[in-house]
Amino acid sequence: MERGRRSRVRPWMAWVLAVAVAGAGFGLYWFQPWKLWQDETVQEALPGTVDVSGAPAAAPSGAAPSASAPAGPVTVASGALISHEHATSGTVKLVRLADGSHVVRLENLDTSNGPDLRVLLADAPVKEGRAGWHVFDDGDHVSLGKLKGNKGSQNYAVPEDVSLARYSSVSIWCDRFDVSFGAAELVQG
């Protein structure tokens, strides 16, 4: 009797164990919890400015200087990042470069690392607390690319065909979970 009972239990336990291992593997891939302890710092100079070596920083490729544009970068709009899903701080600037192109610049960014983080330019209002966590992909938005690092200062080129008048905010957006880590309202001036 003991032997027959043992042979019926083993296949069932093997199946449960296989499902548990597969579930744990999928959960680790999906959530990537180790990223919470991994910081990636990126320090980029603003294009068109002089770096510490004294050489001018490179302008975006294919850029030709414009006679009517100012000699250097001009901040068109800016705002302070507020925390949403994760503690986030720093400054966001919309900068017009000497060639007339635009970049979104994150300065002194400090947020958590996470899976599939992106920088979104959006028309959504920036709201405090949980009310602001999920709104940035609801309306009109443009992904400026993957977040280069969760700490530091970095630049994101705005595509030439983007009408900047349509967008009023920037979000550090987790595309995998459709949630904002933090966001800033862009205020002109």
Side-chain angles (χ1 to χ4, degrees), residues 104-127:
V104 167
R105 179 160 174 83
L106 305 177
E107 291 186 340
N108 303 313
L109 174 65
D110 188 2
T111 191
S112 297
N113 205 343
D116 205 12
L117 294 180
R118 302 191 176 273
V119 177
L120 290 189
L121 192 56
D123 66 352
V126 176
K127 299 176 185 176

Side-chain angles (χ1 to χ4, degrees), residues 37-163:
W37 296 281
Q38 294 176 335
D39 288 330
E40 200 167 331
T41 302
V42 174
Q43 293 294 348
E44 292 182 327
L46 182 62
T49 60
V50 177
D51 67 16
V52 291
S53 68
S61 61
S66 170
S68 63
V74 174
T75 300
V76 176
S78 63
L81 285 162
I82 65 166
S83 298
H84 281 147
E85 172 72 17
H86 292 268
T88 302
S89 62
T91 304
V92 175
K93 292 181 179 180
L94 176 61
V95 179
R96 184 178 59 243
L97 302 176
D99 66 1
S101 65
H102 290 84
V103 296
V104 167
R105 179 160 174 83
L106 305 177
E107 291 186 340
N108 303 313
L109 174 65
D110 188 2
T111 191
S112 297
N113 205 343
D116 205 12
L117 294 180
R118 302 191 176 273
V119 177
L120 290 189
L121 192 56
D123 66 352
V126 176
K127 299 176 185 176
E128 296 273 347
R130 292 184 68 97
W133 286 17
H134 302 282
V135 299
F136 294 96
D137 67 343
D138 292 346
D140 198 10
H141 63 281
V142 175
S143 175
L144 301 179
K146 288 191 175 232
L147 187 69
K148 297 173 186 175
N150 63 308
K151 296 187 181 299
S153 297
Q154 47 212 264
N155 308 303
Y156 297 86
V158 177
E160 288 183 27
D161 61 343
V162 170
S163 172

